[in-house]
Amino acid sequence: MTLDPEFKNQTTELITNTLELYKQAGASPRVGQVWDCENVGDFLCGFFVGEMVGSALSAFQIVHQREPTPDEHLEIIDLVESHSKDIKDFFSKFN
């Protein structure tokens, strides 16, 4: 089963809107210290991607009242990865 167009659209909006919020907010200057990481941008990028995939998976479960199939799960990841350039461009500024 593939993702329905409405779910794809909502997930794409979630990704783009959340990235815009991150762009407005910036990053805490303590991230490197609190999480003991040298490359803050890489850490934040991974955090963001995980947050987007997790949020989309949760939304899928709520909307469809079931777990996604492996193919649907991969489609959700593909939706996030389709924004990889914008995501990487923004978070690389923190390295």
Side-chain angles (χ1 to χ4, degrees):
M1 178 179 230
T2 60
L3 298 175
D4 64 87
E6 181 60 26
F7 185 82
K8 284 183 178 182
N9 289 338
Q10 289 176 349
T11 301
T12 298
E13 283 185 31
L14 170 72
I15 297 163
T16 56
N17 291 343
T18 305
L19 184 58
E20 286 305 313
L21 289 173
Y22 271 73
K23 287 178 180 179
Q24 292 173 14
S28 167
R30 299 184 322 248
V31 171
Q33 295 170 339
V34 170
W35 298 105
D36 193 28
C37 57
E38 289 181 30
N39 297 315
V40 171
D42 293 344
F43 174 83
L44 291 173
C45 183
F47 179 86
F48 180 85
V49 169
E51 180 182 20
M52 292 301 95
V53 171
S55 295
L57 289 171
S58 293
F60 183 94
Q61 291 169 331
I62 291 167
V63 168
H64 297 288
Q65 298 292 304
R66 64 175 176 81
E67 296 291 324
T69 66
D71 287 341
E72 290 166 332
H73 189 136
L74 288 175
E75 279 189 74
I76 288 170
I77 292 169
D78 287 344
L79 287 172
V80 177
E81 288 177 346
S82 72
H83 294 86
S84 64
K85 182 179 180 341
D86 291 336
I87 294 168
K88 290 187 298 186
D89 285 350
F90 173 67
F91 287 108
S92 67
K93 295 175 184 175
F94 298 100
N95 281 338

